[in-house]
Amino acid sequence: MTTKSQVKLAQRHLSDGGFDPGPVDGDHGSRTEAAVDRALTARVSQLPTGWDNWSKKRKLVAYIQLLCVDARIDTGPIDGFWGPQTDFAYESLVYLEIHGQLPPPWRDQQPATANPNDWPIEREADLRTFYGDVGTNQTRIALPYTHKIAWNLSERIGSFVCHEKVHDSLLRVLTRVLDHYGQDRISELRLDHWGGCYNKRRKRGGTSWSTHAWAIAVDYDPARNRLTWGRDQAAFAKPAYNTWWQLWEEEGWVSLGRTRNFDWMHVQAALLP
Ligand SMILES: [Zn+2]
């Protein structure tokens, strides 16, 4: 069984994905049906054989199951059947889209935050021990995809200065971002709008050094993720960015948006005290 709100959710994602489902009206008409077909055709490797003979309702359910997979919600096998697991996964997806995070029971089951690179805690002494003095030990990262400078979008860069200890991890993250999203989606989501890394400055309104002074923090898309904006306004709080953040978090990087709900542009290789 599918409801109007389930169809609407699918239509929203189909529209975001460029599959042209028509208006988001909850009506599972021929245009939406064709859009689901196109979306599934683009993901055949994730579907069982014979899926193309499924009913239009079953295909729609399979598409919603794939949306759950994208959000890393366990929906069971992609079979197009609306069982209890799919129902629970769907409810979690709806919650995620409204609140920007999974419902609490799921969150509690998530493993402790990964820190495979042993990033230090963001305290000046710890940062100096691990990274050295501010403005030292720098290198240049050659980017897997071109970045645009956020304050001058016509200027493109193929590299930027970062701390040598974060170089390899940063490269892994950005390579995975490219693998996952692809160039077109990166541009759409503005994952290439670079707001800076190295900047030898104090924290805004404070006397301690910013993590940018060690070149261990990167800002992305500052125009749509202003410093004081919370998840109701910040673009990077939207579900489309979940994988983006997960790829950073798997490497132990900390998003201030995800952890403190401000400065959603900023990600750093230092844990919060
Ligand atoms: Zn920053």
Side-chain angles (χ1 to χ4, degrees), residues 91-222:
E91 292 302 329
S92 299
L93 182 63
V94 169
Y95 186 102
L96 175 69
E97 298 203 351
I98 294 167
H99 300 280
Q101 61 182 40
L102 289 172
W106 286 76
R107 208 176 165 79
D108 290 347
Q109 289 166 19
Q110 284 177 354
T113 309
N115 187 17
N117 302 296
D118 294 321
W119 303 137
I121 291 172
E122 190 198 335
R123 282 191 291 252
E124 185 151 345
D126 298 71
L127 293 177
R128 278 186 193 278
T129 303
F130 190 83
Y131 288 118
D133 286 334
V134 294
T136 65
N137 304 311
Q138 294 178 340
T139 186
R140 189 165 267 280
I141 179 173
L143 299 165
Y145 55 92
T146 305
H147 286 25
K148 298 172 190 169
I149 297 200
W151 57 89
N152 178 16
L153 291 172
S154 60
E155 191 179 342
R156 286 152 194 275
I157 54 165
S159 69
F160 64 76
V161 169
C162 68
H163 194 284
E164 60 188 19
K165 279 199 174 175
V166 305
H167 172 278
D168 292 1
S169 173
L170 191 51
L171 185 58
R172 281 192 295 273
V173 173
L174 296 177
T175 302
R176 286 169 193 158
V177 167
L178 179 59
D179 287 348
H180 178 81
Y181 287 100
Q183 186 60 64
D184 290 350
R185 199 80 180 115
I186 283 172
S187 303
E188 279 169 32
L189 294 174
R190 298 168 51 150
L191 301 176
D192 54 355
H193 283 214
W194 184 73
C197 176
Y198 175 57
N199 186 352
K200 194 173 169 183
R201 64 167 172 82
R202 307 280 174 174
K203 281 189 178 176
R204 292 181 178 90
T207 54
S208 56
W209 289 106
S210 158
T211 45
H212 286 285
W214 279 274
I216 59 166
V218 194
D219 294 334
Y220 281 96
D221 198 7

Side-chain angles (χ1 to χ4, degrees), residues 69-86:
V69 169
D70 292 345
R72 302 204 174 184
I73 298 167
D74 187 7
T75 183
I78 309 297
D79 57 10
F81 293 122
W82 197 277
Q85 197 166 0
T86 296

Side-chain angles (χ1 to χ4, degrees), residues 28-97:
H28 193 183
S30 56
R31 194 161 163 195
T32 298
E33 188 186 353
V36 170
D37 273 355
R38 285 192 291 275
L40 293 182
T41 302
R43 303 182 63 164
V44 281
S45 66
Q46 290 171 276
L47 297 166
T49 49
W51 70 271
D52 42 332
N53 293 318
W54 290 352
S55 69
K56 76 170 195 176
K57 186 181 281 185
R58 195 171 166 190
K59 286 178 183 172
L60 181 81
V61 173
Y63 177 65
I64 292 173
Q65 290 174 327
L66 287 170
L67 296 178
C68 293
V69 169
D70 292 345
R72 302 204 174 184
I73 298 167
D74 187 7
T75 183
I78 309 297
D79 57 10
F81 293 122
W82 197 277
Q85 197 166 0
T86 296
D87 196 52
F88 188 47
Y90 169 77
E91 292 302 329
S92 299
L93 182 63
V94 169
Y95 186 102
L96 175 69
E97 298 203 351

